[in-house]
Amino acid sequence: MLVHSRGARWAVWAVFLVLFVPLFALPLLVVLGASFATHWSGVLPSGATTANYRAATRGEALQALTTSLLTATAASLLALAVGTWAALAAASLKKRYRRLMDALFVLPVAVPSVVVGLSVLVAFSKPPMLLNGTRWIVILAHTVLVTAFAYQSVSAALTRLDPAYEQAAASLGARPAHVLWRVRLPLLLPSLTASAGLCFALSMGELSATMMLYPPDWTPLPVLIYAATDRGALFTGSAVAMVLMAATLLVLFAVSRVRTRASYR
């Protein structure tokens, strides 16, 4: 720790708790409490029950959870493939062209997601690119939104990569494709898994663009949470939100285990 004196260390911890508890921990704890409640007549929700979780893990909610998992998985894999390819291509460009590529891929981050959703809706609502009303337009919009994070993560990892490994492989006669497949990508694997986890988490929670695009038979879980809270079903919506958070954390934990193993290879 950078602070060495005991008093200053306690002060840092106090500031951290003062900022962390009300801004991050308390809202999540309130949602957790509401997910087990039946009414809210005082300061905190009350009336303990597990009925909200029974509703949040069956029927429409279970189907929405499956939709969110499939959408996030597909969008993450597509974003990882496109972002990695673009980052590798940008690394071989001259500086000014690399800056242009960076700006191009960072653009979806700078633009509000609702604008990205509208752009995708307008672009893919007419033949021959007619995706409106299908699940593919939701997956496409999520891919556009999260590819920027995959691109930035892989680009940052490429700048830290020691070129000596590639030069050694090339000096031994390895072809560029072989160097890429057996040297560069394995060295990038920790960053690739980290960016895949980030893309998955972002896609699982995406709502703004999804609200403009989702068809009735492909409703992701965030849309269901919004609909539940909008019609006043706060406690059921809180239980569904906790299910969404638990599913996301489980997948991120699995990705973290893969990343840890890749780091020690």
Side-chain angles (χ1 to χ4, degrees), residues 54-69:
R54 286 197 295 273
T57 52
R58 64 178 62 176
E60 186 183 21
L62 184 60
Q63 184 179 356
L65 175 61
T66 305
T67 299
S68 283
L69 290 172

Side-chain angles (χ1 to χ4, degrees), residues 95-114:
K95 194 171 183 179
R96 56 180 176 177
Y97 296 118
R98 195 184 312 159
R99 286 179 177 173
L100 180 62
M101 185 81 92
D102 291 344
L104 186 65
F105 275 87
V106 170
L107 189 60
V109 179
V111 175
S113 58
V114 67

Side-chain angles (χ1 to χ4, degrees), residues 18 59 92 106 114 145 150 171 191 242:
V18 167
S92 62
V106 170
V114 67
L145 287 169
S171 67
S191 297
M242 296 310 296

Side-chain angles (χ1 to χ4, degrees), residues 31-49:
V31 173
L32 177 62
S35 68
F36 286 103
T38 57
H39 56 277
W40 197 329
S41 55
V43 178
L44 295 175
S46 55
T49 180

